[in-house]
Structure formats: C-alpha cells, structure tokens
C-alpha cells in the first residue's frame, strides 16, 4: 500500500514538473495572441436571426405602428412587424427603412441590455421626431447604428 502511494506521489511530482517546463517553453514560442471581440449582439441582423428570445415587452409579431405610434403608421405599412423591420434588406438608399431597422434594434436593446445608452421611451420619441425629414431620419439612423454596434 505504501509502495503504491509513493509511486503515485512520484508520478504526480514528475507530471507537475514536466507540465511546468512544457508550459514555460510553450509560452516562449507562442507567436502572439488572438484578438477576438464579441460584437453583433445588438444589431438588427442579430435580433432578426432569432438567436435570443425577444423581451416580453416587445413581441416579434407586434407591428411598428402599434409600438412606435401613429406617425409610424403614416410612414410604414400598417402590418409591418418588428421582426420584418429588423430583417429589412431595402435600407440601402431608403433612409426611412434604415431608420425603422435601427430603431427596432435600439428598442429591443433598451429592454434587453442594461448598459444600452437609450431607454425605450427615448427610442420611441426619437423615431417619431426623426420622421419629419430625410435628413433627421438619416442622422438618427446613423446615431442608433453606432449605439447598436457599440453595445455588447
């Protein structure tokens, strides 16, 4: 019994010292570190992919006009859902499409991310105010896009 314990102890010490030398030599020859960044958890693409459940305050089937109000009803289709708005692909030259896409993601982030810079009421109010002109819509879409990209 004593022989087995002694053999195990010798084995553990040998393994420990061997692993210690291996770790040091591996660190010396390591070419560098890999930089990774967890991005994209707040973008419209992320929310439209359904990788995470949506906040209960904003179901996927809610319409843009019901969530953002009557001004949004005048600008967008009456049956446009938030899921469709987040997954839009026609936001190239259409600033209002880009605005609703980024605003939808911002609204979801305001409920789901504690460190998001805007509250839900701020997002809703800013969208309504930005619907008055293409310039204001473009500026707000850019502002929300930056906030959505910076969020983790």
């Amino acid at each position: 019994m004593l022989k087995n314990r002694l053999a195990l102890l010798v084995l553990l010490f040998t393994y420990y010292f061997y692993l210690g030398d291996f770790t040091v030599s591996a660190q010396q020859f390591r070419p560098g570190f890999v930089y990774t960044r967890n991005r994209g958890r707040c973008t419209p693409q992320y929310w439209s992919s359904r990788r995470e459940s949506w906040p209960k305050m904003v179901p996927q089937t809610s319409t843009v006009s019901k969530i953002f109000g009557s001004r949004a009803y005048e600008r967008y289709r009456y049956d446009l859902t938030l899921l469709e708005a987040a997954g839009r692909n026609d936001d190239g030259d259409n600033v209002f499409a880009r605005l609703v896409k980024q605003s939808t993601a911002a609204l979801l982030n305001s409920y789901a991310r504690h460190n998001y810079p805007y509250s839900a009421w701020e997002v809703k109010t800013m969208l309504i105010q930005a619907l008055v002109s293409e310039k204001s819509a473009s500026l707000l879409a850019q502002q929300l896009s930056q906030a959505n990209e910076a969020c983790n």
Side-chain angles (χ1 to χ4, degrees), residues 38-91:
N38 187 9
R39 293 189 62 139
R41 287 189 55 236
C42 300
T43 62
Q45 294 81 12
Y46 176 79
W47 287 111
S48 65
S49 72
R50 303 179 194 176
R51 281 186 255 166
E52 181 178 337
S53 61
W54 284 35
K56 294 195 185 300
M57 298 291 295
V58 190
Q60 294 176 0
T61 56
S62 296
T63 60
V64 169
S65 60
K66 192 172 276 191
I67 296 296
F68 289 110
S70 61
R71 292 277 177 125
Y73 178 80
E74 296 169 4
R75 176 63 67 181
Y76 304 105
R77 286 188 354 240
Y78 73 93
D79 61 343
L80 179 66
T81 65
L82 292 177
L83 181 61
E84 292 171 339
R88 290 183 82 133
N89 292 326
D90 62 345
D91 58 336

Side-chain angles (χ1 to χ4, degrees), residues 85-138:
R88 290 183 82 133
N89 292 326
D90 62 345
D91 58 336
D93 293 332
N94 187 347
V95 295
F96 294 107
R98 195 172 335 129
L99 175 64
V100 74
K101 184 176 185 174
Q102 295 298 332
S103 297
T104 299
L107 182 68
L108 293 167
N109 293 329
S110 69
Y111 285 119
R113 311 284 184 249
H114 297 292
N115 62 347
Y116 195 71
Y118 303 110
S119 70
W121 284 107
E122 288 175 313
V123 173
K124 291 177 183 183
T125 303
M126 290 188 303
L127 172 83
I128 291 168
Q129 291 173 346
L131 289 174
V132 297
S133 71
E134 286 189 13
K135 182 179 179 182
S136 60
S138 177

